[in-house]
Amino acid sequence: MKFNKKLQNIKTYEAGKPIELVVREFGIEPKDIVKLASNENPYGCSPKVQSAVAKIIPNMALYPDDSMLKLKNALTKKYALEHKNLIIGSGSDQVIEFIMHAKADENSKILMNSVTFAMYEIYAKHVGAEIVRTASQEHDLDEFYGLYKATNPAIIFLCTPNNPTGDAIDTDKLMEFIEKIDNDTLVVVDGAYMEYAAYKDESKKIMPQELVEKFENVIYLGTFSKAYGLGGMRVGYGISSENIIKELYKLRPPFNITTLSLEAASVALEDEEFVNNCIALNFQEMKRYEEFANEQKIDIIESYTNFVTLCLNNTQNSTEISNALLRKGMIVRDLSGYGMNAIRVTVGTKEQNSRFFELASLLL
Amino acid sequence: MKFNKKLQNIKTYEAGKPIELVVREFGIEPKDIVKLASNENPYGCSPKVQSAVAKIIPNMALYPDDSMLKLKNALTKKYALEHKNLIIGSGSDQVIEFIMHAKADENSKILMNSVTFAMYEIYAKHVGAEIVRTASQEHDLDEFYGLYKATNPAIIFLCTPNNPTGDAIDTDKLMEFIEKIDNDTLVVVDGAYMEYAAYKDESKKIMPQELVEKFENVIYLGTFSKAYGLGGMRVGYGISSENIIKELYKLRPPFNITTLSLEAASVALEDEEFVNNCIALNFQEMKRYEEFANEQKIDIIESYTNFVTLCLNNTQNSTEISNALLRKGMIVRDLSGYGMNAIRVTVGTKEQNSRFFELASLLL
């Protein structure tokens, strides 16, 4: 059977066995496995969210409210926006998918940072678009502008704070950059970790409503998977001008969010105190990583997120070290696939981090 | 801003206010609203599923197991298949989306029944493909074959039992039909309601493993949204040859099923007794609809599902009648949008159905 030829350039994503199973093959008990690889909130989600979801378990049989009224009301209140500026996706991933299918095709170019969130490239390949990357590891907006002028991309992805490096763009510079972009290029500002950056440093804080007020061609992405502690529930969102939201809505499948996920996300927004406490703890614990890197004489990228990126020395190999950690039941992310001799470690609970320092100090 | 031109042919799906809110505007209390419009399992899902999900609520913070090991093990056991024959979607809807993007584009034709599941057309429009429909209301496989020869479609959709009419194709005839289809046309056999048909009539029962053994170019679709009572959890699946599954997998976004949904679907397969009891009750209650239609002298299409389609007489108007029911808090589906003067009613619990008969007998 013949398939669309653009599929030829997509590698099948072969989901392996869950990494917990792999670790168990080393004879490690599930209770001794520590996963600091997916930037989940180590404190889980708000107890209020847990009780609210428990209450509606009998509703699993009922299709979700496809107007998402409760969640949209909560989000528009948080951001001082209107429903027409909002689209909800199964993770912000799905909003990226809508964006790509709405704006790009096999004749388009997509501009992104050298090292950035992997899904931009994956969805670009789904539509057969060409990927253009900067050379610099941190977002260099001058380099972005040069490439923009040279290639006329359909979409520019700016990930701030950036995954998997943790650095963030100054808000002023971001706004200046967008000013210079033609209205027919869509600028995506991916703020998946923005709650952390906004807490740490006002100068990195991006207000979606300000973006929408100023620019017709920008979409802001947010998620419940990180600070809100709902990585398993698949809820993200896009905030943009009415015109763009309308087009993306054409590509949204009905019932794209589960009944329990809608409730979880709505109630999560009612307990900002929980989220703020988690973020405060995150940065307290992050200091320990900075001290650890200092002691070990390795570089750490200043992080505005809930993870740290440890850049290893020439004598160390990130793949070997992450495999050695794996054999001890400690799961972190090797960044060699991004062309970096570095590991990315989610800032976990106090105990999880202590365990990391204990194991890593033997290996580094 | 310019968007892909295929979007011009897609109407924005404007999700209105939840229908429960509309009904409440008529002064009806939520407890008095009966919804027989979405073919949900009126008995909910298995109590075992409910307890299993309740137990893992703290896991909402954790990304789902993207290998879906537990669910795939359960499904391959049920169907005597291998993992390589299986893909899981956010509802079988999402598998339809993968199929469309893998196999069709703006040069393709998609063949389907005159009246059938609305998502086939919606996803066909996403890729700009042309839709070819039969004239006959029930699946007429001779007519399908004629149109297949005349138009050379990339994909043929067969929905059995069919939604929204409830009739089903004889398995023998279906197998004979597929035999005659060239290997480069993908035949989709959508069995969303197959559990009901298989219970009622062996001659309508389709075994996915038999399809996969015999044909390289067929994909079977199943769902947890109907008989398994998990409409709110968004889990469906496709069963096909390794070759086709591999291509569809290229388009699957990681983490497309929530952590709680994976658990719910896996455990649902362990309680087939619950499902069988629900199906038995469904057909007991369906008899009352047949009697009701007989008394009212209106036609009812013989149904192999958990809904009935009542074809009204010339003096009756399906839109007026469903609106009148709505004002009384009874939500059913008006099929005028499908070109039928008919209403589709989910077979509910005994009490729900009694309420329908009471209200409808005043209006018909």
Side-chain angles (χ1 to χ4, degrees):
Chain A
M1 180 173 286
K2 289 190 292 287
F3 296 95
N4 281 340
K5 63 177 188 294
K6 65 189 175 194
L7 266 65
Q8 291 165 7
N9 297 322
I10 308 177
K11 274 207 286 191
T12 304
Y13 182 82
E14 295 268 9
K17 281 188 286 187
I19 204 150
E20 283 80 357
L21 278 192
V22 177
V23 179
R24 243 180 282 176
E25 283 171 12
F26 302 133
I28 297 164
E29 290 298 306
K31 67 172 177 46
D32 295 326
I33 299 169
V34 177
K35 189 180 164 206
L36 296 176
S38 300
N39 306 338
E40 294 142 336
N41 184 336
Y43 311 102
C45 66
S46 154
K48 288 181 186 162
V49 172
Q50 300 191 34
S51 344
V53 170
K55 260 185 213 145
I56 62 155
I57 278 187
N59 293 0
M60 288 194 292
L62 305 178
Y63 278 93
D65 163 22
D66 203 40
S67 74
M68 308 191 196
L69 196 64
K70 188 173 175 181
L71 177 55
K72 284 191 174 173
N73 283 344
L75 273 170
T76 49
K77 195 175 146 202
K78 173 184 164 87
Y79 286 123
L81 288 161
E82 292 182 61
H83 283 210
K84 66 182 182 190
N85 299 116
L86 191 59
I87 187 164
I88 315 281
S90 176
S92 49
D93 283 38
Q94 195 182 32
V95 184
I96 299 169
E97 191 179 14
F98 300 154
I99 289 168
M100 207 62 81
H101 285 277
K103 186 65 189 159
D105 61 22
E106 57 278 13
N107 302 312
S108 310
K109 293 192 177 65
I110 313 291
L111 177 55
M112 65 187 77
N113 203 49
S114 62
V115 175
T116 195
F117 186 43
M119 294 310 297
Y120 309 151
E121 173 168 346
I122 292 175
Y123 288 122
K125 285 186 171 167
H126 282 197
V127 300
E130 188 186 328
I131 292 147
V132 180
R133 286 184 190 273
T134 60
S136 36
Q137 186 190 282
E138 288 197 15
H139 281 69
D140 173 341
L141 294 180
D142 291 334
E143 193 190 355
F144 264 89
Y145 187 69
L147 286 168
Y148 156 73
K149 288 305 265 184
T151 63
N152 188 26
I155 306 172
I156 301 174
F157 281 98
L158 301 174
C159 187
T160 182
N162 192 27
N163 179 9
T165 50
D167 55 292
I169 306 172
D170 286 335
T171 310
D172 289 353
K173 287 186 187 161
L174 181 102
M175 299 302 262
E176 274 168 36
F177 173 78
I178 301 174
E179 292 267 4
K180 296 186 292 181
I181 304 301
D182 182 88
N183 202 35
D184 197 37
T185 294
L186 179 57
V187 181
V188 181
V189 177
D190 186 345
Y193 296 89
M194 183 48 68
E195 289 84 1
Y196 295 98
Y199 179 96
K200 181 173 179 170
D201 186 345
E202 273 285 321
S203 77
K204 309 288 189 182
K205 182 176 180 177
I206 289 166
M207 310 269 282
Q209 63 272 48
E210 209 178 304
L211 286 177
V212 171
E213 271 164 28
K214 283 204 177 157
F215 307 110
E216 276 282 310
N217 60 330
V218 176
I219 183 163
Y220 176 88
L221 304 182
T223 185
F224 288 90
S225 299
K226 306 300 174 188
Y228 287 92
L230 291 171
M233 299 306 278
R234 316 306 297 126
V235 192
Y237 50 89
I239 293 174
S240 188
S241 60
E242 183 179 7
N243 184 33
I244 288 172
I245 294 296
K246 222 191 239 172
E247 295 296 318
L248 301 184
Y249 239 93
K250 292 180 179 179
L251 298 170
R252 186 191 69 92
F255 310 119
N256 58 328
I257 311 295
T258 80
T259 300
L260 301 193
S261 303
L262 285 174
E263 181 71 4
S266 307
V267 177
L269 291 172
E270 294 168 13
D271 193 1
E272 295 284 357
E273 196 190 336
F274 173 85
V275 175
N276 287 333
N277 288 340
C278 292
I279 296 175
L281 284 170
N282 173 70
F283 286 112
Q284 264 178 43
E285 286 296 310
M286 193 180 283
K287 279 192 203 133
R288 299 176 64 204
Y289 279 88
E290 288 158 357
E291 287 158 16
F292 174 79
N294 200 26
E295 282 164 22
Q296 299 291 328
K297 300 195 179 7
I298 51 176
D299 282 337
I300 185 168
I301 300 175
E302 179 165 17
S303 171
Y304 296 85
T305 66
N306 67 342
F307 60 84
V308 290
T309 301
L310 301 172
C311 300
L312 305 184
N313 299 323
N314 287 340
T315 55
Q316 299 160 328
N317 178 301
S318 66
T319 307
E320 282 169 18
I321 286 173
S322 41
N323 284 338
L325 287 167
L326 192 62
R327 285 191 290 272
K328 300 286 179 192
M330 171 62 62
I331 311 170
V332 301
R333 189 67 63 97
D334 171 25
L335 298 186
S336 64
Y338 292 85
M340 293 172 75
N341 184 32
I343 57 173
R344 192 192 70 185
V345 187
T346 305
V347 177
T349 60
K350 192 174 173 186
E351 295 69 31
Q352 291 173 326
N353 301 329
S354 297
R355 180 79 182 140
F356 174 80
F357 302 138
E358 186 192 330
L359 293 170
S361 59
L362 300 172
L363 295 164
L364 289 170
Chain B
M1 180 171 286
K2 288 190 294 287
F3 296 95
N4 280 339
K5 63 175 189 296
K6 64 189 177 195
L7 266 65
Q8 291 166 6
N9 297 320
I10 308 176
K11 273 206 286 188
T12 305
Y13 182 83
E14 294 269 10
K17 279 188 286 188
I19 205 152
E20 283 79 356
L21 277 194
V22 177
V23 179
R24 239 180 285 174
E25 283 171 13
F26 301 133
I28 297 165
E29 290 297 307
K31 67 171 177 49
D32 296 326
I33 299 169
V34 177
K35 187 180 164 206
L36 297 174
S38 299
N39 306 337
E40 293 142 335
N41 184 335
Y43 311 103
C45 67
S46 155
K48 288 180 187 163
V49 173
Q50 300 191 34
S51 343
V53 171
K55 261 184 214 144
I56 62 156
I57 278 187
N59 293 359
M60 288 194 292
L62 305 178
Y63 279 94
D65 164 23
D66 202 41
S67 74
M68 308 190 196
L69 198 64
K70 187 172 176 181
L71 178 55
K72 283 190 175 173
N73 283 345
L75 273 170
T76 49
K77 195 175 146 202
K78 172 183 164 90
Y79 285 123
L81 288 161
E82 293 180 61
H83 283 209
K84 67 182 182 189
N85 299 117
L86 191 59
I87 188 164
I88 316 281
S90 176
S92 49
D93 283 39
Q94 195 184 31
V95 185
I96 300 170
E97 191 180 14
F98 300 154
I99 290 168
M100 206 63 82
H101 285 277
K103 187 64 191 158
D105 61 21
E106 56 278 13
N107 302 312
S108 310
K109 293 191 176 66
I110 314 290
L111 177 56
M112 65 186 76
N113 204 49
S114 62
V115 175
T116 195
F117 186 44
M119 292 311 296
Y120 309 151
E121 174 169 345
I122 291 174
Y123 288 122
K125 285 186 172 168
H126 283 196
V127 299
E130 188 187 326
I131 292 147
V132 180
R133 288 184 187 273
T134 60
S136 36
Q137 186 191 281
E138 288 196 14
H139 280 70
D140 174 339
L141 294 181
D142 291 333
E143 193 190 355
F144 264 89
Y145 188 69
L147 286 168
Y148 157 73
K149 289 305 264 183
T151 63
N152 189 26
I155 306 172
I156 302 174
F157 281 98
L158 300 174
C159 188
T160 181
N162 191 29
N163 178 9
T165 51
D167 55 294
I169 305 172
D170 287 335
T171 310
D172 290 353
K173 287 186 186 159
L174 182 102
M175 299 302 263
E176 275 169 36
F177 172 78
I178 301 174
E179 291 268 3
K180 296 186 291 183
I181 304 303
D182 182 87
N183 202 32
D184 198 38
T185 294
L186 178 57
V187 182
V188 181
V189 178
D190 185 345
Y193 296 90
M194 182 49 66
E195 289 83 0
Y196 294 98
Y199 178 96
K200 181 172 179 172
D201 186 344
E202 272 285 320
S203 76
K204 309 288 190 183
K205 182 178 179 176
I206 289 167
M207 311 268 281
Q209 64 270 49
E210 210 178 303
L211 286 178
V212 171
E213 272 163 29
K214 284 202 175 162
F215 307 110
E216 277 279 310
N217 60 331
V218 175
I219 183 163
Y220 175 88
L221 303 182
T223 185
F224 287 89
S225 300
K226 307 299 174 188
Y228 287 91
L230 291 171
M233 298 306 280
R234 315 306 297 128
V235 192
Y237 51 89
I239 293 173
S240 189
S241 59
E242 184 180 6
N243 184 34
I244 289 171
I245 294 296
K246 223 189 241 171
E247 295 296 319
L248 301 184
Y249 239 92
K250 292 180 179 178
L251 298 171
R252 186 191 69 90
F255 311 119
N256 58 328
I257 310 295
T258 80
T259 300
L260 301 192
S261 303
L262 285 173
E263 180 71 4
S266 307
V267 177
L269 290 171
E270 294 169 13
D271 194 1
E272 295 285 357
E273 196 190 335
F274 173 85
V275 175
N276 287 332
N277 288 340
C278 292
I279 296 175
L281 284 170
N282 174 70
F283 285 114
Q284 264 178 41
E285 286 295 310
M286 194 181 282
K287 278 191 203 132
R288 298 174 67 204
Y289 279 88
E290 289 158 357
E291 286 158 18
F292 175 79
N294 198 26
E295 281 164 23
Q296 299 290 328
K297 299 195 174 23
I298 52 176
D299 282 336
I300 185 169
I301 300 175
E302 180 164 16
S303 171
Y304 296 84
T305 65
N306 68 342
F307 60 84
V308 291
T309 302
L310 301 172
C311 301
L312 306 184
N313 298 324
N314 287 341
T315 54
Q316 299 159 328
N317 179 302
S318 66
T319 307
E320 282 169 18
I321 285 172
S322 41
N323 284 337
L325 286 167
L326 191 62
R327 285 191 291 272
K328 300 287 180 190
M330 170 64 60
I331 311 171
V332 301
R333 189 67 65 95
D334 171 24
L335 297 186
S336 63
Y338 292 85
M340 294 173 73
N341 183 32
I343 58 175
R344 192 191 71 184
V345 187
T346 305
V347 177
T349 61
K350 193 173 172 185
E351 295 67 32
Q352 291 173 323
N353 301 328
S354 297
R355 180 76 181 143
F356 173 80
F357 301 138
E358 187 191 329
L359 293 171
S361 60
L362 300 172
L363 295 165
L364 290 169

